[in-house]
Amino acid sequence: QVQLVESGGGSVQSGGSLRLSCAASGYTGYRTSMGWFRQAPGKEREGVAAIESDGSTNYADSVGGRFTISQDNAKNTLYLQMNSLKPEDTAMYYCAADRVKWLLLPNYKYWGQGTQVTVSS
């Protein structure tokens, strides 16, 4: 059973930084695509960043240059470094995994429970 557990969310002021982590378990034996998504109240879930098994990355235009996705395969952990945070980055952030390369589409099979990020002005 695949499990994804996010951590690292919190409250920061505009311009601050946070690093989210996603600990993955239950799918050893193959590498998948992984992504970070976010959902603000009343809005649809949107893709933030994605990383493939070969290390290639994709970012939403709204976070390009500010967010960095990375993974530590030895630790089975996915990260999202978020710098220069803005109030509009406030949302619940989720990590996701799948064998299919969904990139920034919210069609991943496995999801974590989410971690809240709140950015105040």
Side-chain angles (χ1 to χ4, degrees):
Q1 182 71 22
V2 176
Q3 288 190 324
L4 303 173
V5 180
E6 302 96 335
S7 61
S11 297
V12 296
Q13 291 190 332
S14 181
S17 298
L18 284 173
R19 189 177 81 154
L20 305 183
S21 298
C22 173
S25 63
Y27 66 102
T28 57
Y30 64 92
R31 186 48 57 190
T32 68
S33 298
M34 299 192 73
W36 285 100
F37 291 76
R38 65 186 181 188
Q39 188 167 20
K43 295 187 177 181
E44 294 186 353
R45 187 168 297 189
E46 65 169 340
V48 174
I51 187 166
E52 309 306 322
S53 57
D54 63 0
S56 60
T57 58
N58 287 273
Y59 294 94
D61 290 342
S62 59
V63 305
R66 299 188 297 123
F67 290 11
T68 303
I69 188 171
S70 62
Q71 59 187 0
D72 185 331
N73 292 334
K75 296 181 179 180
N76 283 333
T77 302
L78 180 72
Y79 301 101
L80 185 68
Q81 178 66 45
M82 305 186 295
N83 298 327
S84 302
L85 283 162
K86 305 175 181 179
E88 50 264 45
D89 294 318
T90 295
M92 185 71 78
Y93 282 72
Y94 301 89
C95 71
D98 203 334
R99 292 182 179 181
V100 178
K101 291 185 179 181
W102 294 113
L103 301 180
L104 298 180
L105 295 175
N107 300 335
Y108 287 70
K109 182 175 183 180
Y110 302 106
W111 293 84
Q113 83 290 348
T115 185
Q116 178 68 37
V117 172
T118 302
V119 185
S120 58
S121 58

Tab-separated table of all heavy atoms in Angstrom, residues 26-56:
chain	number	residue	atom	x	y	z
A	26	GLY	N	5.948	2.087	0.410
A	26	GLY	CA	5.010	1.116	-0.128
A	26	GLY	C	5.079	0.877	-1.614
A	26	GLY	O	4.289	0.083	-2.143
A	27	TYR	N	5.993	1.519	-2.295
A	27	TYR	CA	6.074	1.240	-3.722
A	27	TYR	C	7.530	1.066	-4.161
A	27	TYR	O	7.939	1.494	-5.206
A	27	TYR	CB	5.365	2.293	-4.569
A	27	TYR	CG	5.964	3.680	-4.554
A	27	TYR	CD1	6.740	4.138	-5.609
A	27	TYR	CD2	5.718	4.547	-3.504
A	27	TYR	CE1	7.283	5.407	-5.587
A	27	TYR	CE2	6.239	5.813	-3.479
A	27	TYR	CZ	7.021	6.230	-4.526
A	27	TYR	OH	7.554	7.499	-4.511
A	28	THR	N	8.294	0.439	-3.315
A	28	THR	CA	9.663	0.142	-3.700
A	28	THR	C	9.661	-0.824	-4.882
A	28	THR	O	8.728	-1.587	-5.086
A	28	THR	CB	10.421	-0.501	-2.528
A	28	THR	OG1	9.729	-1.677	-2.114
A	28	THR	CG2	10.506	0.465	-1.353
A	29	GLY	N	10.685	-0.771	-5.683
A	29	GLY	CA	10.789	-1.662	-6.825
A	29	GLY	C	10.588	-0.956	-8.145
A	29	GLY	O	10.966	-1.447	-9.177
A	30	TYR	N	9.943	0.202	-8.106
A	30	TYR	CA	9.848	0.979	-9.333
A	30	TYR	C	9.807	2.453	-8.969
A	30	TYR	O	9.405	2.831	-7.886
A	30	TYR	CB	8.617	0.601	-10.153
A	30	TYR	CG	7.293	0.888	-9.484
A	30	TYR	CD1	6.638	2.092	-9.689
A	30	TYR	CD2	6.695	-0.044	-8.668
A	30	TYR	CE1	5.425	2.360	-9.079
A	30	TYR	CE2	5.487	0.204	-8.050
A	30	TYR	CZ	4.862	1.401	-8.273
A	30	TYR	OH	3.658	1.659	-7.673
A	31	ARG	N	10.256	3.252	-9.886
A	31	ARG	CA	10.282	4.688	-9.626
A	31	ARG	C	9.131	5.323	-10.377
A	31	ARG	O	8.767	4.930	-11.446
A	31	ARG	CB	11.610	5.287	-10.081
A	31	ARG	CG	11.824	6.744	-9.752
A	31	ARG	CD	11.493	7.080	-8.314
A	31	ARG	NE	12.253	6.293	-7.368
A	31	ARG	CZ	11.997	6.269	-6.070
A	31	ARG	NH1	10.991	6.951	-5.587
A	31	ARG	NH2	12.729	5.554	-5.256
A	32	THR	N	8.589	6.317	-9.781
A	32	THR	CA	7.419	6.934	-10.370
A	32	THR	C	7.658	8.414	-10.609
A	32	THR	O	8.689	8.969	-10.254
A	32	THR	CB	6.215	6.817	-9.436
A	32	THR	OG1	6.455	7.631	-8.283
A	32	THR	CG2	5.995	5.396	-9.001
A	33	SER	N	6.672	9.006	-11.184
A	33	SER	CA	6.607	10.460	-11.255
A	33	SER	C	5.987	10.960	-9.958
A	33	SER	O	5.099	10.327	-9.392
A	33	SER	CB	5.735	10.898	-12.432
A	33	SER	OG	6.272	10.467	-13.648
A	34	MET	N	6.461	12.106	-9.497
A	34	MET	CA	5.906	12.686	-8.286
A	34	MET	C	5.668	14.166	-8.493
A	34	MET	O	6.340	14.814	-9.302
A	34	MET	CB	6.843	12.465	-7.093
A	34	MET	CG	7.068	11.003	-6.781
A	34	MET	SD	7.865	10.727	-5.198
A	34	MET	CE	6.507	11.100	-4.058
A	35	GLY	N	4.700	14.678	-7.739
A	35	GLY	CA	4.369	16.076	-7.919
A	35	GLY	C	3.857	16.709	-6.648
A	35	GLY	O	3.476	16.019	-5.701
A	36	TRP	N	3.900	18.020	-6.633
A	36	TRP	CA	3.296	18.818	-5.581
A	36	TRP	C	2.115	19.591	-6.165
A	36	TRP	O	2.231	20.183	-7.243
A	36	TRP	CB	4.303	19.811	-5.002
A	36	TRP	CG	5.327	19.201	-4.108
A	36	TRP	CD1	6.620	18.871	-4.425
A	36	TRP	CD2	5.156	18.846	-2.732
A	36	TRP	NE1	7.243	18.330	-3.339
A	36	TRP	CE2	6.369	18.308	-2.285
A	36	TRP	CE3	4.084	18.931	-1.832
A	36	TRP	CZ2	6.548	17.854	-0.970
A	36	TRP	CZ3	4.263	18.485	-0.538
A	36	TRP	CH2	5.476	17.953	-0.122
A	37	PHE	N	1.026	19.571	-5.425
A	37	PHE	CA	-0.176	20.287	-5.821
A	37	PHE	C	-0.624	21.162	-4.664
A	37	PHE	O	-0.220	20.949	-3.519
A	37	PHE	CB	-1.287	19.303	-6.196
A	37	PHE	CG	-1.010	18.562	-7.468
A	37	PHE	CD1	-0.105	17.519	-7.502
A	37	PHE	CD2	-1.641	18.923	-8.649
A	37	PHE	CE1	0.174	16.850	-8.684
A	37	PHE	CE2	-1.381	18.262	-9.830
A	37	PHE	CZ	-0.468	17.224	-9.847
A	38	ARG	N	-1.481	22.111	-4.952
A	38	ARG	CA	-2.038	22.926	-3.887
A	38	ARG	C	-3.496	23.246	-4.198
A	38	ARG	O	-3.910	23.265	-5.356
A	38	ARG	CB	-1.249	24.217	-3.699
A	38	ARG	CG	-1.293	25.180	-4.873
A	38	ARG	CD	-0.346	26.345	-4.620
A	38	ARG	NE	-0.367	27.323	-5.701
A	38	ARG	CZ	0.468	28.347	-5.795
A	38	ARG	NH1	1.417	28.534	-4.868
A	38	ARG	NH2	0.375	29.193	-6.802
A	39	GLN	N	-4.227	23.483	-3.125
A	39	GLN	CA	-5.638	23.819	-3.279
A	39	GLN	C	-6.021	24.839	-2.225
A	39	GLN	O	-5.900	24.580	-1.023
A	39	GLN	CB	-6.518	22.578	-3.166
A	39	GLN	CG	-7.971	22.828	-3.505
A	39	GLN	CD	-8.743	21.536	-3.696
A	39	GLN	OE1	-8.343	20.466	-3.244
A	39	GLN	NE2	-9.873	21.626	-4.391
A	40	ALA	N	-6.453	25.991	-2.690
A	40	ALA	CA	-6.936	27.034	-1.803
A	40	ALA	C	-8.451	26.907	-1.678
A	40	ALA	O	-9.109	26.349	-2.561
A	40	ALA	CB	-6.566	28.403	-2.359
A	41	PRO	N	-9.032	27.411	-0.603
A	41	PRO	CA	-10.483	27.321	-0.422
A	41	PRO	C	-11.234	27.906	-1.611
A	41	PRO	O	-10.935	29.013	-2.064
A	41	PRO	CB	-10.720	28.134	0.851
A	41	PRO	CG	-9.453	28.034	1.601
A	41	PRO	CD	-8.382	28.038	0.559
A	42	GLY	N	-12.181	27.147	-2.115
A	42	GLY	CA	-12.997	27.614	-3.222
A	42	GLY	C	-12.348	27.528	-4.587
A	42	GLY	O	-12.935	27.964	-5.581
A	43	LYS	N	-11.138	26.982	-4.633
A	43	LYS	CA	-10.423	26.878	-5.906
A	43	LYS	C	-10.118	25.427	-6.239
A	43	LYS	O	-10.115	24.562	-5.366
A	43	LYS	CB	-9.131	27.689	-5.866
A	43	LYS	CG	-9.350	29.186	-5.730
A	43	LYS	CD	-8.036	29.941	-5.877
A	43	LYS	CE	-8.263	31.442	-5.825
A	43	LYS	NZ	-6.978	32.188	-5.985
A	44	GLU	N	-9.861	25.178	-7.500
A	44	GLU	CA	-9.499	23.835	-7.928
A	44	GLU	C	-8.066	23.511	-7.531
A	44	GLU	O	-7.230	24.404	-7.366
A	44	GLU	CB	-9.658	23.710	-9.444
A	44	GLU	CG	-11.100	23.818	-9.922
A	44	GLU	CD	-11.231	23.544	-11.406
A	44	GLU	OE1	-10.197	23.407	-12.078
A	44	GLU	OE2	-12.370	23.480	-11.894
A	45	ARG	N	-7.802	22.225	-7.406
A	45	ARG	CA	-6.438	21.796	-7.114
A	45	ARG	C	-5.575	22.079	-8.343
A	45	ARG	O	-5.957	21.766	-9.465
A	45	ARG	CB	-6.420	20.309	-6.786
A	45	ARG	CG	-5.094	19.805	-6.303
A	45	ARG	CD	-5.228	18.400	-5.721
A	45	ARG	NE	-6.092	18.372	-4.545
A	45	ARG	CZ	-6.222	17.301	-3.766
A	45	ARG	NH1	-5.549	16.194	-4.026
A	45	ARG	NH2	-7.034	17.351	-2.736
A	46	GLU	N	-4.412	22.656	-8.120
A	46	GLU	CA	-3.522	22.999	-9.223
A	46	GLU	C	-2.134	22.402	-9.021
A	46	GLU	O	-1.642	22.291	-7.898
A	46	GLU	CB	-3.411	24.519	-9.385
A	46	GLU	CG	-2.769	25.240	-8.215
A	46	GLU	CD	-2.441	26.696	-8.526
A	46	GLU	OE1	-2.348	27.068	-9.709
A	46	GLU	OE2	-2.251	27.451	-7.552
A	47	GLY	N	-1.534	22.029	-10.128
A	47	GLY	CA	-0.182	21.500	-10.081
A	47	GLY	C	0.821	22.613	-9.838
A	47	GLY	O	0.722	23.685	-10.445
A	48	VAL	N	1.761	22.349	-8.957
A	48	VAL	CA	2.796	23.323	-8.621
A	48	VAL	C	4.125	22.937	-9.246
A	48	VAL	O	4.776	23.741	-9.891
A	48	VAL	CB	2.939	23.455	-7.091
A	48	VAL	CG1	4.117	24.356	-6.741
A	48	VAL	CG2	1.650	23.961	-6.470
A	49	ALA	N	4.516	21.685	-9.036
A	49	ALA	CA	5.797	21.205	-9.551
A	49	ALA	C	5.741	19.696	-9.660
A	49	ALA	O	5.028	19.035	-8.903
A	49	ALA	CB	6.942	21.630	-8.640
A	50	ALA	N	6.502	19.162	-10.600
A	50	ALA	CA	6.559	17.717	-10.789
A	50	ALA	C	7.975	17.307	-11.119
A	50	ALA	O	8.742	18.092	-11.705
A	50	ALA	CB	5.604	17.283	-11.896
A	51	ILE	N	8.319	16.073	-10.750
A	51	ILE	CA	9.659	15.560	-11.034
A	51	ILE	C	9.528	14.119	-11.491
A	51	ILE	O	8.712	13.351	-10.980
A	51	ILE	CB	10.573	15.691	-9.797
A	51	ILE	CG1	12.004	15.329	-10.142
A	51	ILE	CG2	10.051	14.850	-8.631
A	51	ILE	CD1	13.015	15.753	-9.064
A	52	GLU	N	10.319	13.778	-12.496
A	52	GLU	CA	10.285	12.434	-13.050
A	52	GLU	C	11.449	11.612	-12.519
A	52	GLU	O	12.354	12.134	-11.874
A	52	GLU	CB	10.334	12.512	-14.574
A	52	GLU	CG	9.316	13.451	-15.178
A	52	GLU	CD	7.904	13.148	-14.722
A	52	GLU	OE1	7.566	11.965	-14.580
A	52	GLU	OE2	7.124	14.104	-14.512
A	53	SER	N	11.441	10.323	-12.842
A	53	SER	CA	12.487	9.432	-12.349
A	53	SER	C	13.856	9.791	-12.895
A	53	SER	O	14.873	9.478	-12.269
A	53	SER	CB	12.154	7.985	-12.692
A	53	SER	OG	11.977	7.841	-14.095
A	54	ASP	N	13.884	10.466	-14.043
A	54	ASP	CA	15.175	10.868	-14.610
A	54	ASP	C	15.637	12.221	-14.076
A	54	ASP	O	16.669	12.742	-14.506
A	54	ASP	CB	15.099	10.908	-16.135
A	54	ASP	CG	14.109	11.941	-16.650
A	54	ASP	OD1	13.478	12.635	-15.831
A	54	ASP	OD2	13.972	12.047	-17.885
A	55	GLY	N	14.839	12.803	-13.167
A	55	GLY	CA	15.222	14.073	-12.572
A	55	GLY	C	14.685	15.296	-13.272
A	55	GLY	O	14.865	16.422	-12.790
A	56	SER	N	14.049	15.116	-14.397
A	56	SER	CA	13.490	16.264	-15.105
A	56	SER	C	12.336	16.857	-14.303
A	56	SER	O	11.617	16.137	-13.615
A	56	SER	CB	13.020	15.871	-16.501
A	56	SER	OG	12.025	14.868	-16.424
